[in-house]
Amino acid sequence: MIGPPEDPTFADLLELEEIDRDIFRGWSHAGAPMRTFGGQVAAQALVAAGRTAGERVVHSLHSYFLRPGNPTAPLVYLVDRLRDGGSFTTRRVSAVQYGETIFSLSASFKAHEEGRSHQKPMPIVRPPEESLDLYQAAEDAGDDRAASVARLVLELRGPDPTSRFAGSSVPDGSEAAIGVLDDDIPRRRFWMRAADRLPDDQLLHVCALAYMSDLTLAGTATLRHEIPPHELMLASLDHAMWFHRPFRADEWLLFSVESPSSSDGRGLASGEYFTEDGRLVASVMQEALIRRRASR
């Protein structure tokens, strides 16, 4: 792998080159100017961990963003095999660039087992075909930044039947378009999926969801800050996910997000993923740095 592909598919964004035992190399595109996209780095680190875990399936990850990465240079992923037990496999991955660790991830894998189960019900929302395609709307408005993430189809929810927008279309520029404040808690719901059809590889679908999960979490935590976008400094600090049931990342998933707390220049956001038929397949939490940029 000499460099990133010129016109990558979603699967290409997660591709790694194995350069030695437990050592992999990949490339990340920019998420902010001259910074790697954290969701892609997390997804690639999980790919590296999964490549060493055999047939066991990842059920959780915990990670820290330590330094901004450079999207014009490769990333090296170093895997530590912490444990291979009777039921669980644990891996730690360090993403290294210019000799420094920019990202650290721990992931746990296990074999499937049968047992009792329960889950919270999926929120009542409009189907994806009746929601607003945010990327298409951005492209239609001439926003070139949408092109770099157009491989993902991210759609806004319609209102709950009990909301004041029930029975009407989603009005542009309204609360429904930017997020809903219930009891002073910012909440947003999105339908999302990979735009490309992905291979039948469960690890790839989990890693694709890890990629997509970094798109809207931190932004939800900023909804009450009222900081103009050009003055907002936003950076992910840590990221954790739990995977409950099998799913496909190239089929519609409802991402229900809320921000329970923001203080001390930090915002916390949590989210849950549901399939269209109502299965809860994953949960995620992220803390982000939220600051107003110093005026020059």
Side-chain angles (χ1 to χ4, degrees):
M1 181 186 295
I2 299 176
E6 293 184 3
D7 188 21
T9 64
F10 196 106
D12 290 335
L13 296 177
L14 307 181
E15 184 60 33
L16 295 180
E17 175 189 5
E18 186 172 0
I19 58 179
D20 205 338
R21 185 179 187 270
D22 298 343
I23 303 176
F24 302 85
R25 180 166 53 206
W27 295 79
S28 175
H29 63 73
M34 291 307 298
R35 287 176 178 239
T36 55
F37 175 53
Q40 186 180 14
V41 176
Q44 289 184 346
L46 188 57
V47 169
R51 292 263 193 97
T52 72
E55 298 299 318
R56 290 181 174 176
V57 178
V58 62
H59 70 89
S60 69
L61 68 85
H62 300 264
S63 60
Y64 285 92
F65 297 92
L66 304 175
R67 296 178 176 89
N70 184 345
T72 67
L75 284 158
V76 175
Y77 296 91
L78 308 177
V79 181
D80 288 336
R81 303 186 182 220
L82 298 183
R83 182 173 184 264
D84 289 291
S87 299
F88 292 87
T89 293
T90 308
R91 296 290 184 262
R92 180 173 58 212
V93 183
S94 299
V96 178
Q97 198 172 58
Y98 303 123
E100 293 186 323
T101 301
I102 70 164
F103 176 80
S104 176
L105 173 142
S106 295
S108 182
F109 302 76
K110 71 180 296 290
H112 175 71
E113 61 183 81
E114 298 294 338
R116 285 182 170 271
S117 65
H118 72 274
Q119 68 160 78
K120 68 183 296 184
M122 183 176 103
I124 300 173
V125 296
R126 292 183 175 185
E129 59 270 17
E130 296 180 14
S131 299
L132 175 66
D133 188 332
L134 298 180
Y135 287 169
Q136 187 61 54
E139 288 183 344
D140 292 345
D143 188 346
D144 294 335
R145 292 173 299 176
S148 65
V149 288
R151 301 172 198 88
L152 305 181
V153 180
L154 174 64
E155 294 200 341
L156 181 73
R157 72 176 177 97
D160 292 343
T162 57
S163 79
R164 65 181 176 209
F165 294 117
S168 62
S169 60
V170 179
D172 293 338
S174 70
E175 280 188 303
I178 62 172
V180 186
L181 299 178
D182 296 333
D183 300 325
D184 293 329
I185 296 297
R187 305 179 195 272
R188 298 196 293 184
R189 291 172 185 157
F190 302 86
W191 288 103
M192 60 171 60
R193 64 173 173 83
D196 300 317
R197 189 69 177 176
L198 300 176
D200 295 332
D201 178 345
Q202 189 170 357
L203 176 64
L204 183 63
H205 287 266
V206 168
C207 294
L209 192 64
Y211 178 110
M212 293 189 289
S213 69
D214 194 36
L215 289 171
T216 60
L217 274 168
T220 302
T222 69
L223 290 179
R224 290 190 55 82
H225 284 250
E226 299 180 351
I227 302 175
H230 66 280
E231 297 181 11
L232 178 64
M233 181 178 178
L234 183 65
S236 302
L237 296 175
D238 59 11
H239 196 92
M241 297 187 75
W242 296 264
F243 304 97
H244 312 305
R245 296 167 179 84
F247 61 89
R248 293 192 65 94
D250 52 12
E251 296 179 351
W252 286 117
L253 296 170
L254 177 70
F255 193 24
S256 180
V257 190
E258 68 177 31
S259 177
S261 176
S262 178
S263 64
D264 189 38
R266 296 171 292 118
L268 183 67
S270 63
E272 295 160 329
Y273 281 98
F274 297 86
T275 59
E276 281 197 89
D277 61 1
R279 291 182 301 114
L280 176 61
V281 296
S283 301
V284 58
M285 294 196 75
Q286 183 182 89
E287 188 174 54
L289 178 71
I290 304 173
R291 288 177 178 164
R292 186 185 294 269
R293 294 184 187 276
S295 58
R296 296 181 179 180

